[in-house]
Amino acid sequence: MRAKYRWLRRIESLDPIEDHQEIYRLSMGHEFPWDYARALEFALFRTYCVPGISALLARTGEFRDRPQKRYDDTALLMLELVVNGYDSPRGREALRVVNRQHGRYAIGNDEMRYVLSTFIYDPIDWIDRYGWRPLSAHERIAGFEFYRQVGRRMGIRDIPGTYEEFRDFKTGYELAHFAVAASNTEIGNYTVNLFASWFPAPLRPAARKGVLALLDPPMLAAFGFPPPPRALTRTAHLALRGRARFVRLLPPRRHSTFDRDDLRNRTYPGYPKGYRPADLGAG
C-alpha cells in the first residue's frame, strides 16, 4: 500500500505556493484524473444556477446550437493552462482566447470571480466526498494558487488573497445569487442532455436521472428541477464511493493522463496534434 502514495509523497516534498503548477499537474494527471474531470463538469454546471450567467449563455445560443463544442473549447483551454503552464507560449495563447471570448460580452467582475471560485472548491468538495483519498493541504493550496494566478492573468479584480476568504466569497455569492429563472432551466436542460449524450442511446434516460441525483438541493431549486427519488440519490452516491474503494486498491498511475497522444474530446480529433489554442472558441 505504501507504493500507492508515491505521488502524494512527491507532492508533499514540494512547496504549495512556489510549486503549485507542478502539484496541480500531479494531482490532476496522476492521482485523480477522472474525479477532476467530473468535478469541473459539475462546477461549470453549478454556475448556471446564477440567472445573470445563464441569461447570457441563453442569449449567445451556444448551448442550444453547439453544446459539445462549447464544452470541448472550455475543457481544452483549461487543460492547456494545466498541462503547459499559464505562462508558457501555448498557455498565454489559451489565455488570449479566453479573454477574447469573455471580452465580447458584458460580464461582471463578481460573476467572473464566482466562476473562478468554482474551479477551485468544487473539485476539492467532490474529491473529499468521492476520491480514493482526501486531498492534502498542499493540493488544496496549490489549486487555490493556480486559479488565483490564472484569474489575475484574465484581468479578474479583487480575488481574495487567502484560501479561506475565497471559499467564504463563494459561499456568500451562492446564497445571494442562486435563484430560479427560466434561463437557468433552459441551460440546465441543455447541459443534462449533453452529459447524457455521452452514453449509448438506451442508457440516456438513466444517465439524465443520474446527473440530477448528483445535484445538491440549492442547485435543483435554482434550476427548477424536481428532486429525484431519495433511493436514486443514495444509489448514485454509493456507486461513486464504491468506485473510490476500488481505485484505492489499484497501483499508482505510472504515467500522467496528460502524456497521452491526444486530449480526449469530441470536436477536435487528435487535439493537440495539428491544432493551436487559437483554433478553439466560438467563431
Side-chain angles (χ1 to χ4, degrees), residues 209-235:
K209 293 177 182 177
V211 170
L212 296 181
L214 294 176
L215 303 185
D216 60 33
M219 291 180 71
L220 289 167
F223 282 124
F225 293 155
R230 290 183 181 179
L232 178 60
T233 299
R234 283 197 301 271
T235 299

Side-chain angles (χ1 to χ4, degrees), residues 8 11-12 23-24 26-28 31-32 35-36 120-129 131-141 143 163:
L8 178 59
I11 286 167
E12 293 188 334
I23 290 173
Y24 196 56
L26 289 170
S27 187
M28 183 182 279
E31 295 286 74
F32 303 102
D35 295 281
Y36 272 106
I120 300 169
Y121 299 105
D122 281 51
I124 289 170
D125 293 342
W126 175 284
I127 293 170
D128 280 350
R129 195 175 298 123
W132 67 268
R133 64 165 175 82
L135 288 176
S136 69
H138 276 43
E139 289 167 303
R140 295 167 195 266
I141 296 302
Y163 178 96

Side-chain angles (χ1 to χ4, degrees), residues 2 35 41 47 55 58 73 107 128 135 142-143 161 165 168 170 172 184 195 256-257 260 269-270:
R2 177 176 168 77
D35 295 281
E41 288 165 2
T47 67
D73 287 340
I107 305 174
D128 280 350
L135 288 176
E165 288 171 345
D168 289 344
K170 178 180 186 290
N184 293 6
F195 290 173
S256 172
T257 57
R260 290 196 304 254

Side-chain angles (χ1 to χ4, degrees), residues 32-281:
F32 303 102
W34 187 88
D35 295 281
Y36 272 106
R38 302 292 81 74
L40 289 169
E41 288 165 2
F42 278 92
L44 281 172
F45 200 0
R46 189 174 197 86
T47 67
Y48 311 151
C49 294
V50 178
I53 294 173
S54 66
L56 172 61
L57 295 172
R59 287 197 300 272
T60 68
E62 287 292 305
F63 269 81
R64 180 190 65 238
D65 300 332
R66 294 179 292 273
Q68 184 64 60
K69 182 179 186 301
R70 191 186 189 284
Y71 171 88
D72 289 336
D73 287 340
T74 302
L76 292 175
L77 287 166
M78 292 299 103
L79 278 174
E80 286 283 357
L81 304 180
V82 176
V83 174
N84 298 303
Y86 44 69
D87 285 333
S88 70
R90 288 186 71 98
R92 289 195 297 270
E93 186 176 321
L95 281 168
R96 285 195 294 272
V97 174
V98 171
N99 289 337
R100 184 182 71 237
Q101 296 300 327
H102 289 163
R104 298 168 64 183
Y105 308 105
I107 305 174
N109 188 68
D110 276 358
E111 290 177 345
M112 297 281 283
R113 283 200 298 167
Y114 172 63
V115 174
L116 188 71
S117 75
T118 66
F119 285 14
I120 300 169
Y121 299 105
D122 281 51
I124 289 170
D125 293 342
W126 175 284
I127 293 170
D128 280 350
R129 195 175 298 123
Y130 305 125
W132 67 268
R133 64 165 175 82
L135 288 176
S136 69
H138 276 43
E139 289 167 303
R140 295 167 195 266
I141 296 302
F144 162 75
E145 187 64 19
F146 179 85
Y147 283 108
R148 191 169 75 91
Q149 294 298 333
V150 168
R152 289 175 56 192
R153 286 157 176 78
M154 291 174 62
I156 301 175
R157 303 181 307 279
D158 302 321
I159 299 172
T162 70
Y163 178 96
E164 293 78 15
E165 288 171 345
F166 208 4
R167 168 76 87 168
D168 289 344
F169 165 80
K170 178 180 186 290
T171 301
Y173 190 92
E174 291 178 353
L175 288 172
H177 294 279
F178 273 23
V180 68
S183 57
N184 293 6
T185 307
E186 177 186 351
I187 300 302
N189 278 318
Y190 289 146
T191 304
V192 172
N193 289 337
L194 171 64
F195 290 173
S197 74
W198 301 339
F199 293 84
L203 299 180
R204 288 173 189 169
R208 291 187 185 92
K209 293 177 182 177
V211 170
L212 296 181
L214 294 176
L215 303 185
D216 60 33
M219 291 180 71
L220 289 167
F223 282 124
F225 293 155
R230 290 183 181 179
L232 178 60
T233 299
R234 283 197 301 271
T235 299
H237 289 282
L238 286 172
L240 287 169
R241 292 182 183 124
R243 177 191 174 276
R245 288 192 291 272
F246 173 75
V247 172
R248 195 176 298 127
L249 300 175
L250 299 177
R253 190 180 296 273
R254 293 181 59 191
H255 301 288
S256 172
T257 57
F258 303 143
D259 294 338
R260 290 196 304 254
D261 290 338
D262 67 292
L263 300 176
R264 293 180 183 174
N265 71 97
R266 293 166 172 80
T267 306
Y268 305 95
Y271 190 94
K273 289 184 177 179
Y275 293 94
R276 301 290 309 174
D279 297 324
L280 306 174

